[in-house]
Amino acid sequence: MEKLVINGGRRLYGSLEIQRAKNAVLPLLAASVMTDERVRLRNLPKISDVENMLHILRELGCRITREGCDAVIDSSNAASHEIPAVMTKEIRSSIFMLGSVLTRFHRAKISYPGGCDIGIRPIDLHLSGLKKLGVQIVEENGYIDCRVERLTGAEVVLDFPSVGATENIMLAAVKAEGRTILRNAAKEPEIVDLQNFLNRMGARVQGAGTADVVIDGVEVLRGVDYVPMGDRIEAGTFLIAAAVCGGEIETHGVAAENLAALLHKLRENGCKIHTKNDTIYLSSNGRLKSVDVVDTSPFPGFPTDLQAQYATLSALSKGTTLVVENLFETRFKYAGELRRMGADITVRGRTAVIRGVAALRGASITAGDLRGGAALAIAGLAAQGTTEVLDLSHVDRGYDGLERKLRLLGASVRRIKI
Ligand code: UD1
């Protein structure tokens, strides 16, 4: 076990290269199994979700070569359609493997997926979409067993624009016979990245980033050498940290339009923000005023993956903020830990009422999920005294070198084995 030890109260200054996006890389890795040719993914973040996904690919029989931060995936000898149960428990994104493994083997078997404990997280939309493409699904003993003789294009209407279901159905449809029209698709930038990647492999996908994604099936996909998009959630996390602590930082590698909802709020809080191409510049005097309401919603709305970090900011802003979580049922678990540091937060169901306080005090707190853990680290950076954030395994799922990057910005942060 490891913990972060943070001496709070320092301003953050400097410039940061943002990692490639976890939520883009995971579906790209799943897609790699659909070609016999080699796929090179460049500059992958060193995070456990990526390592676990690579492990799943190895279990399917793919050869993975690491060259610096790149991974080269050779699926020509992939032989298994069964995604090992121990890995699905670790990483929810293994569910994307259904679409791509089906394309490859006409069969896919997976146990019910895990991931962050932030709500019920059903997969009914994934399964009903796959059924529309002709897949027969048997669910028993905690396993989902899918078979299909020939994937066939169809019109699929999602009841809700689920990111994962959109990606899974896109993967299943790229080599299906005929045209698939996916309506009410998720519009997240990572879907656009997946479309770009698939088209570079020879697929015919259009419309990603809008509510209608159209996929015309092709017979063969080829290898590709690809740099995934930048991680908007990592960039947002650092911008929020600098806003609360005060200071001046610049992030490189994420377009401002992918963070528009957050930047809008940060300006209202009193931060100065300039953007140019893939650079976002923020300066803050550390004395923020609250916004009234933050409502999470699918892109381009305020991202649920920044809700916890933004709640920490609200806890130290002047005034009261209502935070409404519309995507996941139990995404306020960090609130109890923030309260131990002196935050004034009341949670009722999917709503948190946060009354800003003048200061937080250092404490020993435990990260319960990935983004909640980042929120607690931000609280420690802004608090008076020393904060220990315990159980870094969640944070390590998604942040590559969080403490190293914070130190670069001038924070006093150490990782210690316990
Ligand atoms: C992805 C992101 C995650 C982010 C989330 C919402 C990845 C690897 N993860 O997760 O970081 O927090 O989008 O932006 O990209 N739902 C159903 N049935 C389904 C699928 C989803 O009811 O079959 C519901 C979920 O319970 C949730 C909502 O839809 O309430 C959104 O989930 P979804 O967009 O699917 O999120 P993920 O793809 O799991």
Side-chain angles (χ1 to χ4, degrees):
M1 279 265 269
E2 291 181 323
K3 65 179 178 185
L4 283 186
V5 179
I6 306 172
N7 295 311
R10 297 200 185 181
R11 291 187 167 232
L12 302 182
Y13 291 94
S15 158
L16 266 189
E17 211 50 60
I18 296 302
Q19 70 187 34
R20 302 299 89 199
K22 167 176 96 67
N23 288 353
V25 169
L26 297 174
L28 302 189
L29 286 171
S32 305
V33 71
M34 298 195 297
T35 175
D36 274 342
E37 296 182 20
R38 285 161 27 129
V39 171
R40 176 185 286 267
L41 286 172
R42 293 200 180 253
N43 213 358
L44 295 186
K46 290 190 190 61
I47 53 177
S48 58
D49 266 11
V50 166
E51 292 310 319
N52 284 331
M53 199 70 171
L54 288 169
H55 189 78
I56 293 178
L57 291 176
R58 281 194 199 96
E59 294 280 329
L60 296 180
C62 304
R63 243 189 90 222
I64 315 279
T65 322
R66 302 305 292 266
E67 293 173 16
C69 294
D70 299 357
V72 179
I73 300 124
D74 175 353
S75 307
S76 53
N77 289 321
S80 171
H81 66 266
E82 270 193 51
I83 293 117
V86 341
M87 299 315 299
T88 22
K89 291 267 177 298
E90 284 292 317
I91 173 170
R92 185 181 155 82
S93 307
S94 46
I95 186 74
F96 301 131
M97 297 301 302
L98 274 185
S100 56
V101 169
L102 270 170
T103 305
R104 174 89 192 219
F105 298 110
H106 306 280
R107 179 124 194 238
K109 194 172 172 193
I110 191 169
S111 71
Y112 266 95
C116 266
D117 181 15
I118 54 177
I120 310 169
R121 305 192 85 164
I123 52 169
D124 53 315
L125 301 171
H126 298 246
L127 300 186
S128 63
L130 293 175
K131 280 184 191 155
K132 278 269 161 114
L133 302 187
V135 180
Q136 288 176 333
I137 301 177
V138 179
E139 296 176 66
E140 56 185 10
N141 305 328
Y143 278 89
I144 305 161
D145 197 350
C146 304
R147 289 163 201 254
V148 65
E149 233 161 73
R150 181 184 284 165
L151 285 156
T152 316
E155 180 171 6
V156 179
V157 184
L158 292 179
D159 287 341
F160 180 87
S162 151
V163 175
T166 300
E167 293 170 336
N168 216 348
I169 294 160
M170 280 166 75
L171 292 177
V174 283
K175 285 174 89 178
E177 199 173 288
R179 171 170 277 200
T180 298
I181 304 179
L182 182 53
R183 299 203 191 279
N184 198 25
K187 300 176 191 156
E188 267 67 4
E190 291 75 15
I191 312 267
V192 179
D193 209 47
L194 178 60
Q195 167 177 288
N196 294 341
F197 176 82
L198 292 171
N199 286 345
R200 290 273 308 282
M201 290 175 92
R204 290 172 58 204
V205 186
Q206 48 182 317
T210 75
D212 294 320
V213 179
V214 180
I215 304 119
D216 287 302
V218 297
E219 286 200 353
V220 184
L221 294 174
R222 50 177 182 267
V224 55
D225 182 336
Y226 195 79
V227 186
M229 66 182 287
D231 196 315
R232 62 196 168 98
I233 304 303
E234 192 205 26
T237 301
F238 283 106
L239 290 167
I240 292 171
V244 198
C245 295
E248 259 181 82
I249 73 161
E250 207 173 74
T251 61
H252 298 282
V254 170
E257 71 218 36
N258 289 346
L259 271 174
L262 172 70
L263 299 183
H264 177 69
K265 293 290 177 201
L266 291 175
R267 283 193 175 103
E268 263 189 83
N269 291 124
C271 301
K272 286 202 181 66
I273 293 170
H274 304 292
T275 64
K276 194 177 176 194
N277 303 327
D278 277 1
T279 298
I280 303 173
Y281 162 90
L282 174 142
S283 81
S284 159
N285 61 15
R287 290 189 300 278
L288 303 176
K289 51 181 186 295
S290 298
V291 303
D292 292 339
V293 182
V294 178
D295 246 315
T296 64
S297 61
F299 191 83
F302 193 95
T304 173
D305 288 351
L306 288 172
Q307 180 260 104
Q309 301 89 316
Y310 193 80
T312 298
L313 177 149
S314 305
L316 280 165
S317 301
K318 194 169 178 347
T320 300
T321 308
L322 204 63
V323 177
V324 186
E325 172 55 56
N326 290 307
L327 283 120
F328 296 109
E329 296 80 10
T330 52
R331 217 172 186 180
F332 287 123
K333 287 191 182 153
Y334 61 85
E337 301 298 276
L338 282 184
R339 266 200 298 271
R340 296 180 52 210
M341 298 177 76
D344 182 348
I345 306 184
T346 309
V347 177
R348 285 286 178 277
R350 290 179 173 225
T351 303
V353 179
I354 306 179
R355 294 182 189 81
V357 295
L360 295 178
R361 313 176 287 277
S364 187
I365 48 183
T366 304
D369 65 87
L370 166 59
R371 306 302 172 185
L376 297 182
I378 294 173
L381 294 169
Q384 294 168 348
T386 302
T387 296
E388 291 186 335
V389 183
L390 305 175
D391 197 355
L392 296 183
S393 62
H394 296 290
V395 173
D396 291 339
R397 281 190 40 224
Y399 291 94
D400 179 354
L402 181 68
E403 70 281 4
R404 177 175 47 81
K405 290 177 179 171
L406 287 170
R407 271 201 304 273
L408 266 178
L409 297 178
S412 166
V413 186
R414 279 172 304 145
R415 177 183 286 253
I416 291 178
K417 278 209 166 61
I418 41 177

Short mmCIF file of all heavy atoms in Angstrom, two decimals, residues 292-296 307 311 320-326 328-332 334-335 339 345-354:
data_model
loop_
_atom_site.label_atom_id
_atom_site.label_comp_id
_atom_site.label_asym_id
_atom_site.label_seq_id
_atom_site.Cartn_x
_atom_site.Cartn_y
_atom_site.Cartn_z
N ASP A 292 -23.62 29.03 -8.38
CA ASP A 292 -24.80 28.52 -7.69
C ASP A 292 -24.99 27.02 -7.87
O ASP A 292 -25.23 26.29 -6.91
CB ASP A 292 -26.06 29.25 -8.20
CG ASP A 292 -26.06 30.70 -7.78
OD1 ASP A 292 -25.34 31.02 -6.81
OD2 ASP A 292 -26.75 31.51 -8.44
N VAL A 293 -24.92 26.57 -9.12
CA VAL A 293 -25.26 25.17 -9.41
C VAL A 293 -24.26 24.56 -10.38
O VAL A 293 -23.86 25.21 -11.35
CB VAL A 293 -26.67 25.07 -10.06
CG1 VAL A 293 -27.04 23.61 -10.32
CG2 VAL A 293 -27.72 25.74 -9.21
N VAL A 294 -23.87 23.31 -10.12
CA VAL A 294 -23.12 22.52 -11.10
C VAL A 294 -23.89 21.22 -11.29
O VAL A 294 -24.16 20.51 -10.33
CB VAL A 294 -21.70 22.18 -10.59
CG1 VAL A 294 -20.97 21.33 -11.61
CG2 VAL A 294 -20.93 23.44 -10.34
N ASP A 295 -24.24 20.95 -12.53
CA ASP A 295 -25.08 19.81 -12.89
C ASP A 295 -24.27 18.92 -13.82
O ASP A 295 -23.93 19.37 -14.89
CB ASP A 295 -26.22 20.37 -13.77
CG ASP A 295 -27.56 20.28 -13.15
OD1 ASP A 295 -27.86 19.22 -12.61
OD2 ASP A 295 -28.28 21.29 -13.25
N THR A 296 -23.96 17.69 -13.44
CA THR A 296 -23.22 16.86 -14.39
C THR A 296 -24.16 16.34 -15.47
O THR A 296 -25.33 16.06 -15.21
CB THR A 296 -22.55 15.66 -13.71
OG1 THR A 296 -23.56 14.80 -13.19
CG2 THR A 296 -21.63 16.10 -12.59
N GLN A 307 -16.58 16.08 -11.27
CA GLN A 307 -17.52 16.54 -10.23
C GLN A 307 -16.86 16.61 -8.84
O GLN A 307 -16.99 17.61 -8.11
CB GLN A 307 -18.74 15.61 -10.24
CG GLN A 307 -19.82 15.92 -9.25
CD GLN A 307 -19.72 15.01 -8.04
OE1 GLN A 307 -19.27 15.40 -6.97
NE2 GLN A 307 -20.13 13.76 -8.21
N ALA A 311 -16.05 19.83 -6.56
CA ALA A 311 -16.68 19.96 -5.23
C ALA A 311 -15.65 20.44 -4.22
O ALA A 311 -15.96 21.25 -3.34
CB ALA A 311 -17.28 18.63 -4.80
N THR A 320 -22.39 29.42 -1.54
CA THR A 320 -22.94 28.06 -1.51
C THR A 320 -23.11 27.52 -2.93
O THR A 320 -23.58 28.22 -3.81
CB THR A 320 -24.31 28.06 -0.79
OG1 THR A 320 -24.08 28.54 0.54
CG2 THR A 320 -24.92 26.68 -0.73
N THR A 321 -22.72 26.26 -3.12
CA THR A 321 -22.87 25.61 -4.43
C THR A 321 -23.72 24.37 -4.28
O THR A 321 -23.53 23.58 -3.36
CB THR A 321 -21.49 25.18 -4.99
OG1 THR A 321 -20.61 26.30 -4.96
CG2 THR A 321 -21.60 24.67 -6.43
N LEU A 322 -24.63 24.20 -5.23
CA LEU A 322 -25.44 22.98 -5.29
C LEU A 322 -24.81 22.11 -6.37
O LEU A 322 -24.72 22.53 -7.52
CB LEU A 322 -26.84 23.39 -5.72
CG LEU A 322 -27.99 22.50 -5.36
CD1 LEU A 322 -28.12 22.42 -3.85
CD2 LEU A 322 -29.27 23.05 -5.98
N VAL A 323 -24.32 20.92 -5.99
CA VAL A 323 -23.72 20.02 -6.98
C VAL A 323 -24.70 18.88 -7.23
O VAL A 323 -25.06 18.15 -6.30
CB VAL A 323 -22.37 19.47 -6.49
CG1 VAL A 323 -21.79 18.48 -7.49
CG2 VAL A 323 -21.38 20.61 -6.25
N VAL A 324 -25.13 18.73 -8.48
CA VAL A 324 -26.11 17.68 -8.81
C VAL A 324 -25.42 16.65 -9.70
O VAL A 324 -24.90 16.99 -10.76
CB VAL A 324 -27.34 18.27 -9.53
CG1 VAL A 324 -28.41 17.20 -9.73
CG2 VAL A 324 -27.89 19.46 -8.77
N GLU A 325 -25.41 15.39 -9.25
CA GLU A 325 -24.75 14.31 -10.01
C GLU A 325 -25.84 13.53 -10.75
O GLU A 325 -26.62 12.82 -10.14
CB GLU A 325 -23.97 13.40 -9.04
CG GLU A 325 -23.42 12.14 -9.66
CD GLU A 325 -22.53 12.39 -10.87
OE1 GLU A 325 -21.56 13.14 -10.77
OE2 GLU A 325 -22.83 11.84 -11.95
N ASN A 326 -25.87 13.67 -12.06
CA ASN A 326 -26.95 13.06 -12.83
C ASN A 326 -26.57 11.75 -13.48
O ASN A 326 -27.43 11.09 -14.08
CB ASN A 326 -27.40 14.03 -13.93
CG ASN A 326 -28.12 15.23 -13.34
OD1 ASN A 326 -29.06 15.07 -12.57
ND2 ASN A 326 -27.65 16.44 -13.66
N PHE A 328 -24.13 9.06 -12.10
CA PHE A 328 -23.90 7.89 -11.24
C PHE A 328 -24.52 8.11 -9.86
O PHE A 328 -24.54 9.22 -9.34
CB PHE A 328 -22.40 7.61 -11.14
CG PHE A 328 -21.80 7.23 -12.47
CD1 PHE A 328 -20.96 8.10 -13.14
CD2 PHE A 328 -22.12 6.02 -13.08
CE1 PHE A 328 -20.43 7.76 -14.38
CE2 PHE A 328 -21.61 5.67 -14.31
CZ PHE A 328 -20.76 6.54 -14.97
N GLU A 329 -25.01 7.00 -9.28
CA GLU A 329 -25.82 7.09 -8.06
C GLU A 329 -25.02 7.45 -6.82
O GLU A 329 -25.50 8.16 -5.95
CB GLU A 329 -26.54 5.76 -7.80
CG GLU A 329 -27.55 5.34 -8.85
CD GLU A 329 -26.89 4.72 -10.07
OE1 GLU A 329 -25.67 4.44 -10.03
OE2 GLU A 329 -27.60 4.53 -11.08
N THR A 330 -23.80 6.91 -6.72
CA THR A 330 -23.09 7.05 -5.43
C THR A 330 -21.73 7.70 -5.65
O THR A 330 -20.70 7.11 -5.36
CB THR A 330 -22.92 5.69 -4.75
OG1 THR A 330 -22.33 4.80 -5.71
CG2 THR A 330 -24.23 5.11 -4.29
N ARG A 331 -21.76 8.89 -6.22
CA ARG A 331 -20.47 9.51 -6.54
C ARG A 331 -20.09 10.62 -5.56
O ARG A 331 -19.32 11.51 -5.91
CB ARG A 331 -20.49 10.02 -7.98
CG ARG A 331 -19.14 9.80 -8.60
CD ARG A 331 -19.00 10.05 -10.04
NE ARG A 331 -17.64 9.63 -10.41
CZ ARG A 331 -17.13 9.69 -11.61
NH1 ARG A 331 -17.85 10.14 -12.61
NH2 ARG A 331 -15.89 9.30 -11.85
N PHE A 332 -20.59 10.53 -4.32
CA PHE A 332 -20.25 11.56 -3.32
C PHE A 332 -19.51 10.95 -2.13
O PHE A 332 -19.50 11.52 -1.05
CB PHE A 332 -21.52 12.24 -2.82
CG PHE A 332 -22.16 13.17 -3.81
CD1 PHE A 332 -23.47 13.00 -4.21
CD2 PHE A 332 -21.43 14.25 -4.33
CE1 PHE A 332 -24.07 13.87 -5.12
CE2 PHE A 332 -22.02 15.13 -5.25
CZ PHE A 332 -23.34 14.94 -5.64
N TYR A 334 -16.53 10.71 -1.40
CA TYR A 334 -15.40 11.54 -0.93
C TYR A 334 -15.88 12.60 0.06
O TYR A 334 -15.09 13.16 0.82
CB TYR A 334 -14.71 12.23 -2.12
CG TYR A 334 -15.65 13.15 -2.85
CD1 TYR A 334 -15.85 14.45 -2.40
CD2 TYR A 334 -16.41 12.70 -3.92
CE1 TYR A 334 -16.76 15.28 -3.03
CE2 TYR A 334 -17.32 13.53 -4.55
CZ TYR A 334 -17.49 14.81 -4.09
OH TYR A 334 -18.41 15.62 -4.68
N ALA A 335 -17.20 12.90 0.08
CA ALA A 335 -17.70 14.03 0.87
C ALA A 335 -17.42 13.83 2.36
O ALA A 335 -17.04 14.79 3.06
CB ALA A 335 -19.20 14.22 0.63
N ARG A 339 -15.33 16.34 4.75
CA ARG A 339 -15.90 16.87 6.00
C ARG A 339 -14.89 16.74 7.14
O ARG A 339 -14.77 17.62 7.98
CB ARG A 339 -17.19 16.13 6.35
CG ARG A 339 -18.44 16.84 5.84
CD ARG A 339 -19.69 16.40 6.58
NE ARG A 339 -19.93 14.99 6.39
CZ ARG A 339 -20.65 14.48 5.40
NH1 ARG A 339 -21.24 15.27 4.51
NH2 ARG A 339 -20.82 13.18 5.27
N ILE A 345 -20.37 20.09 3.87
CA ILE A 345 -21.07 19.45 2.74
C ILE A 345 -22.21 18.60 3.27
O ILE A 345 -22.01 17.77 4.16
CB ILE A 345 -20.14 18.50 1.95
CG1 ILE A 345 -18.88 19.23 1.50
CG2 ILE A 345 -20.85 17.91 0.74
CD1 ILE A 345 -17.97 18.39 0.63
N THR A 346 -23.39 18.78 2.71
CA THR A 346 -24.53 17.93 3.05
C THR A 346 -24.95 17.22 1.78
O THR A 346 -25.20 17.86 0.76
CB THR A 346 -25.71 18.78 3.55
OG1 THR A 346 -25.23 19.63 4.58
CG2 THR A 346 -26.84 17.91 4.08
N VAL A 347 -25.03 15.89 1.85
CA VAL A 347 -25.43 15.13 0.67
C VAL A 347 -26.81 14.53 0.88
O VAL A 347 -27.08 13.94 1.92
CB VAL A 347 -24.40 13.99 0.40
CG1 VAL A 347 -24.84 13.14 -0.79
CG2 VAL A 347 -23.02 14.56 0.15
N ARG A 348 -27.68 14.73 -0.11
CA ARG A 348 -28.99 14.08 -0.10
C ARG A 348 -29.19 13.46 -1.47
O ARG A 348 -29.36 14.19 -2.46
CB ARG A 348 -30.12 15.11 0.11
CG ARG A 348 -30.26 15.61 1.52
CD ARG A 348 -30.89 14.57 2.47
NE ARG A 348 -30.96 15.08 3.81
CZ ARG A 348 -29.94 15.05 4.69
NH1 ARG A 348 -28.80 14.50 4.35
NH2 ARG A 348 -30.08 15.55 5.89
N GLY A 349 -29.13 12.12 -1.55
CA GLY A 349 -29.30 11.46 -2.84
C GLY A 349 -28.25 11.92 -3.82
O GLY A 349 -27.06 11.81 -3.57
N ARG A 350 -28.72 12.48 -4.93
CA ARG A 350 -27.77 12.87 -5.98
C ARG A 350 -27.35 14.33 -5.89
O ARG A 350 -26.80 14.87 -6.84
CB ARG A 350 -28.42 12.64 -7.34
CG ARG A 350 -28.58 11.17 -7.65
CD ARG A 350 -29.24 11.02 -8.99
NE ARG A 350 -29.25 9.62 -9.36
CZ ARG A 350 -28.94 9.18 -10.56
NH1 ARG A 350 -28.60 10.01 -11.51
NH2 ARG A 350 -28.98 7.89 -10.83
N THR A 351 -27.67 14.97 -4.75
CA THR A 351 -27.35 16.39 -4.64
C THR A 351 -26.47 16.65 -3.41
O THR A 351 -26.71 16.08 -2.35
CB THR A 351 -28.66 17.20 -4.49
OG1 THR A 351 -29.47 16.91 -5.62
CG2 THR A 351 -28.39 18.69 -4.46
N ALA A 352 -25.48 17.50 -3.60
CA ALA A 352 -24.66 17.93 -2.46
C ALA A 352 -24.79 19.43 -2.32
O ALA A 352 -24.72 20.16 -3.31
CB ALA A 352 -23.20 17.54 -2.68
N VAL A 353 -25.03 19.89 -1.09
CA VAL A 353 -25.03 21.33 -0.81
C VAL A 353 -23.69 21.64 -0.16
O VAL A 353 -23.35 21.07 0.89
CB VAL A 353 -26.18 21.71 0.14
CG1 VAL A 353 -26.15 23.21 0.43
CG2 VAL A 353 -27.51 21.28 -0.44
N ILE A 354 -22.91 22.50 -0.81
CA ILE A 354 -21.57 22.80 -0.30
C ILE A 354 -21.49 24.27 0.08
O ILE A 354 -21.63 25.15 -0.78
CB ILE A 354 -20.51 22.47 -1.37
CG1 ILE A 354 -20.68 21.02 -1.85
CG2 ILE A 354 -19.11 22.70 -0.82
CD1 ILE A 354 -19.71 20.58 -2.92
#
